[in-house]
Amino acid sequence: MRKKQASKKAKENRTATAAAIIALTAAVIGAVFLGLGKDFWKASFGDPALRIGDITYSAAQCNYYFYSAYHAVLDSASGAEDLIGLDPSLPLDQQDCPLSEEGESWYEYLWNSAKEEMWRNTALFLDAESQGMTLSKEGQSEIANLEEYYMLQAADAGYDSADDYLSAVYGERMTVELLKELMERQLLAQDYENQVELSYSFSEEELRKYYTEHSYEFSNYTYLYAYVGSGEDAEQTARDLCEAESREAFEAAARAATGRDCYEMSEISGSELGDPSLSDIAWLTDAARQAGDTYAGQAGEDWFVLWFLQRSDNGFLTGEDEQWKTIASARLRSEKLGQWEDSLMEACPVEELDGAEAVGQDTVVYLTGSAAD
């Protein structure tokens, strides 16, 4: 199954881990369900839970997004759920989510993440539909193979049918047929998003200006890190290491003084390093930095030493490589796409309905790798 794209709006406000968590599948329900009547709807899909634009989602459909997020959390935790404050045996609404910047419980965090992803994808789908777009042949093939795919998943997990598997993993009433409706719209939204993103182009002047403004984030830094530790002689040891005249001498001295090998930090981007105003990062990323320069710093009570090796600017200054153009273009496309998607979402109202109370209330089975593909 095609990997689902994470919400770009959500990415701006959540951590990388949270971004992995909210890389969900999303879609919209077809208009055919709207005319079936309330009793049929409730019996088949659960109460209407969310309305986005003129499309209504059932509790069962919302559960698919909710539990996709839940499984993604567990997949990323890899058995270390306690490190992220999540106990699957306890109610989600009784556990604080450390990934939330707004003090949410795990239930609130997962539900709000799912709603935001549903909102983005619904807005994309509605606009694609208004442009007369139809699902690609690749997408049609994926839908046609959906049941076979989940039959294999079910067999591997010990279930008799694809519907039994989906209900166990994503909540009661989830079936292959219902999932097909969701996926048809999700894939169309995704195709539309890709088409729009690829339509953006930028002049070399625009790319150069943008790269210059973000050169710290895009450049890659390689250096040695020697941990010295704390104690009465730690500072002097760190400063002595700074006197080494070669990489080999530095590594040997660090090993002799600390009993540990240095760590080579290779091709670390500025965006990974963090706040450029911090003294050690400001030193490391200084344009005047030369191979063999050293820095003795302190984190809390612990001393450390950095030995600078090199900086790569992706060929921006030397002209030997045009990778910088690819990087700048990709980031500009992403920013422009995010702004466009935000405008679509703002024009597409969201309303929670009575059935929202049932979302996330099922007892589901977690199977490793069962997060939506």
Side-chain angles (χ1 to χ4, degrees):
M1 299 297 291
R2 190 183 305 181
K3 292 286 182 182
K4 307 304 181 288
Q5 297 184 8
S7 166
K8 292 185 172 57
K9 184 178 180 67
K11 282 181 180 177
E12 296 174 358
N13 302 311
R14 304 186 186 273
T15 66
T17 302
I21 290 173
I22 59 173
L24 316 176
T25 52
V28 295
I29 183 171
V32 63
F33 294 118
L34 301 179
L36 292 178
K38 182 177 180 181
D39 291 340
F40 180 88
W41 175 288
K42 182 172 182 179
S44 301
F45 312 121
D47 284 328
L50 195 67
R51 182 178 295 117
I52 304 177
D54 60 1
I55 295 176
T56 301
Y57 290 86
S58 70
Q61 293 166 321
C62 293
N63 268 340
Y64 179 69
Y65 304 117
F66 183 94
Y67 289 116
S68 290
Y70 176 66
H71 295 315
V73 171
L74 296 179
D75 280 351
S76 64
S78 300
E81 292 84 3
D82 57 319
L83 298 180
I84 56 172
L86 176 60
D87 185 342
S89 68
L90 298 176
L92 293 172
D93 61 0
Q94 295 178 19
Q95 303 179 67
D96 293 335
C97 175
L99 301 178
S100 172
E101 298 176 355
E102 300 173 4
E104 299 165 304
S105 67
W106 268 109
Y107 175 83
E108 293 169 326
Y109 180 82
L110 293 173
W111 180 214
N112 288 332
S113 296
K115 283 188 292 186
E116 187 166 18
E117 185 71 0
M118 294 165 70
W119 184 17
R120 181 183 69 90
N121 283 301
T122 302
L124 282 167
F125 165 73
L126 290 173
D127 204 53
E129 191 177 51
S130 73
Q131 301 297 322
M133 282 192 66
T134 57
L135 193 60
S136 65
K137 290 183 178 180
E138 180 186 8
Q140 293 174 28
S141 176
E142 192 163 336
I143 296 300
N145 294 327
L146 197 65
E147 184 166 9
E148 180 181 358
Y149 173 82
Y150 279 106
M151 285 177 64
L152 292 173
Q153 294 287 95
D156 287 344
Y159 288 91
D160 293 333
S161 70
D163 285 352
D164 287 345
Y165 172 84
L166 290 171
S167 294
V169 174
Y170 298 112
E172 190 178 350
R173 298 191 181 93
M174 178 50 63
T175 66
V176 171
E177 289 306 312
L178 184 55
L179 183 57
K180 283 182 178 180
E181 295 291 340
L182 296 172
M183 290 301 300
E184 285 175 359
R185 291 157 178 82
Q186 159 62 22
L187 293 176
L188 178 59
Q190 187 172 315
D191 285 345
Y192 184 42
E193 180 183 57
N194 291 339
Q195 176 180 299
V196 171
E197 184 172 16
L198 291 174
S199 72
Y200 298 139
S201 62
F202 309 97
S203 66
E204 180 162 339
E205 181 180 357
E206 289 175 304
L207 295 177
R208 188 171 293 279
K209 180 176 183 295
Y210 188 82
Y211 193 95
T212 299
E213 293 171 350
H214 299 82
S215 59
Y216 160 73
E217 299 173 52
F218 297 149
S219 294
N220 298 311
Y221 304 87
T222 300
Y223 56 97
L224 299 177
Y225 173 90
Y227 174 76
V228 176
S230 59
E232 184 178 347
D233 299 325
E235 179 178 0
Q236 187 57 52
T237 298
R239 300 202 182 283
D240 288 345
L241 290 178
C242 291
E243 300 302 317
E245 296 184 355
S246 68
R247 171 176 177 168
E248 292 75 15
F250 176 76
E251 291 181 298
R255 190 180 304 111
T258 69
R260 305 180 186 89
D261 288 332
C262 295
Y263 297 96
E264 180 171 336
M265 311 301 290
S266 181
E267 295 291 303
I268 307 299
S269 69
S271 58
E272 293 178 278
L273 288 173
D275 185 356
S277 67
L278 297 176
S279 58
D280 55 335
I281 298 177
W283 174 88
L284 184 66
T285 59
D286 189 326
R289 193 62 48 231
Q290 298 291 319
D293 288 352
T294 56
Y295 174 89
Q298 194 174 18
E301 297 182 355
D302 295 329
W303 283 86
F304 63 89
V305 180
L306 304 181
W307 177 283
F308 187 81
L309 291 173
Q310 66 177 18
R311 169 183 175 172
S312 167
D313 66 359
N314 304 293
F316 181 64
L317 294 178
T318 64
E320 296 174 355
D321 187 351
E322 294 197 339
Q323 179 66 15
W324 69 270
K325 291 184 181 180
T326 301
I327 294 171
S329 181
R331 179 69 74 85
L332 274 169
R333 282 197 181 98
S334 179
E335 288 187 2
K336 193 168 182 178
L337 184 71
Q339 294 167 358
W340 171 70
E341 289 180 351
D342 286 349
S343 69
L344 293 182
M345 293 168 70
E346 289 170 3
C348 194
V350 180
E351 179 186 3
E352 277 197 30
L353 306 175
D354 291 343
E357 294 180 0
V359 176
Q361 302 304 314
D362 288 1
T363 299
V364 298
V365 175
Y366 168 65
L367 301 171
T368 302
S370 58
D373 296 311

